[in-house]
Amino acid sequence: MKHSGPSTVLRRRTLVGALLAAAAVPAVAACQSKSGAVGTGAGASASPSPSATPATITVTPADAAVDVRPDAPVTVTVTDGTLTDVTVTAADGTPLAGALDPAGTTWTSSATLTTGTAYSVHAVAAGASGGSTTHQSTLTTLTPAETAFPAVAPLAGKEVGVGMPIIVTFDSPVADDRRAVVEQNLKVTASPNAVEGSWSWQSDSKVEFRPAQYWPAHSAVHLDVDLGAVEVSPGVWGKTRDIDFTIGSAMVSTVDIAAHTLTVTRDGELLKTIPVTLGQSGSGGQFTTRSGTKVIMSLEAARQMNSETTGIGQDDPNYYNVDVQYALRVTNSGEFLHAAPWSVASQGKANVSHGCTGMSTENAKWMFDNSKVGDVVVYTGSDRTIEPGNGFNVWNETYEQWQQGSALHA
């Protein structure tokens, strides 16, 4: 029997070792190719490099959250990576505005959500050591069980005078601690020139806006009522509206009660001086015309005036029930400028009315034809002053006094 020598055995061992080494190479390669994707969050997937720590994306509110408050922010955060793409989209395709922090690890919404709306969240992050992670989730905002509708004066599309306040009246009270956020979401802009102005609360359901001075004549005003995501009281949410109106010419009139005259100006130019009669003296001063800055509230071509609406009955010697023409209301309590043909002899000479500003039918028609809601009528010469809230009564305080009624300035 022939035996192999030492050199032959060594060659065989070397060959076997080489074959084993060659066989081991595919096994290592196969192990590396099986580095699987690691997912985080709903519908997430990742493709990290070998030995990489995958980025983890977290979204608040969590996936499939319902009854989300519209004032709740949406936040997207990542650990072990940076965000490369974040989109939050309503069901109709409208994107939700937001911004990424400088570190690229947190995205926060900058706009409020819409009530009763489903949103989808899509986020992508790059891992700190390679690979990427994708996140998909949804959320749905609450549908309010109760809302507070904001009625606005003036109405959209109207032309008004330079003294017209913006009046927002809610059909549900606004909680004291919600007044500031309500004001912050009632945004007034004027063009072509901006104005300084302030809101002032007249009650728990009414807030009014006036500029520091009269509105600039011939300007446009936009009111953005952005209250859809504002809880005005527990469980009651606001609504969103947009109102546009215009300011016409600056019609500013002055009534001198003692001199029995009405002086009318337009854009600073004198148009007409009209003889008038004002409230008679006596009767405990109940018919004295009030001094103060008043604003025309309405124009009526014809109106019935019955003293019973002011508490003067038919058995009172001061009782009246007459039809008048061309009536311009300036107070809630019943002061008007109107035609008073029965008192023409006293107009310009004596005060004989029950508090209204009476003039001839011809002059009253002229006043009616040349006036608009929001025009200013300043009354002087009486020791009886107009009461707060008696009409569009926003100009009888200094601007600083008016601001004290704002929840943002108190």
Side-chain angles (χ1 to χ4, degrees), residues 337-357:
L337 296 89
H338 63 79
W342 56 85
S343 64
V344 168
S346 298
Q347 292 164 16
K349 301 175 184 177
N351 293 329
V352 298
S353 81
H354 291 91
C356 289
T357 305

Side-chain angles (χ1 to χ4, degrees), residues 150-342:
V152 177
L155 298 175
K158 291 294 185 180
E159 180 184 80
V160 296
V162 297
M164 182 68 194
I166 300 177
I167 305 170
V168 179
T169 305
F170 297 93
D171 61 2
S172 181
V174 175
D176 288 349
D177 63 354
R178 304 304 294 165
R179 291 185 178 186
V181 70
V182 167
E183 284 186 52
Q184 290 171 339
N185 287 276
L186 297 174
K187 302 168 187 176
V188 179
T189 54
S191 59
N193 298 312
V195 299
E196 178 186 1
S198 174
W199 293 96
S200 182
W201 290 87
Q202 307 302 301
S203 70
D204 63 1
S205 60
K206 180 190 291 186
V207 62
E208 298 182 2
F209 178 93
R210 56 156 276 194
Q213 301 175 338
Y214 297 147
W215 293 102
H218 313 291
S219 58
V221 181
H222 176 76
L223 171 64
D224 180 11
V225 182
D226 190 15
L227 299 176
V230 175
E231 190 177 26
V232 302
S233 62
V236 181
W237 295 81
K239 284 183 170 292
T240 298
R241 301 186 65 193
D242 286 289
I243 304 292
D244 290 283
F245 61 93
T246 57
I247 307 298
S249 59
M251 290 283 288
V252 180
S253 302
T254 302
V255 175
D256 187 327
I257 296 172
H260 325 294
T261 57
L262 165 63
T263 304
V264 185
T265 65
R266 177 189 290 150
D267 294 331
E269 296 185 9
L270 176 64
L271 291 185
K272 195 175 184 70
T273 299
I274 298 172
V276 294
T277 183
L278 287 304
Q280 60 189 269
S281 59
S283 300
Q286 65 174 318
F287 301 130
T288 301
T289 304
R290 299 164 177 82
S291 287
T293 301
K294 304 170 189 178
V295 175
I296 295 177
M297 304 170 66
S298 65
L299 289 80
E300 302 175 48
R303 180 180 179 84
Q304 183 179 19
M305 294 192 171
N306 188 332
S307 65
E308 290 182 302
T309 62
T310 63
I312 301 175
Q314 296 185 24
D315 57 350
D316 191 304
N318 290 303
Y319 170 78
Y320 58 87
N321 187 358
V322 296
D323 292 323
V324 301
Q325 291 182 290
Y326 310 118
L328 286 66
R329 179 185 282 273
V330 289
T331 71
N332 292 328
S333 59
E335 288 187 16
F336 289 79
L337 296 89
H338 63 79
W342 56 85

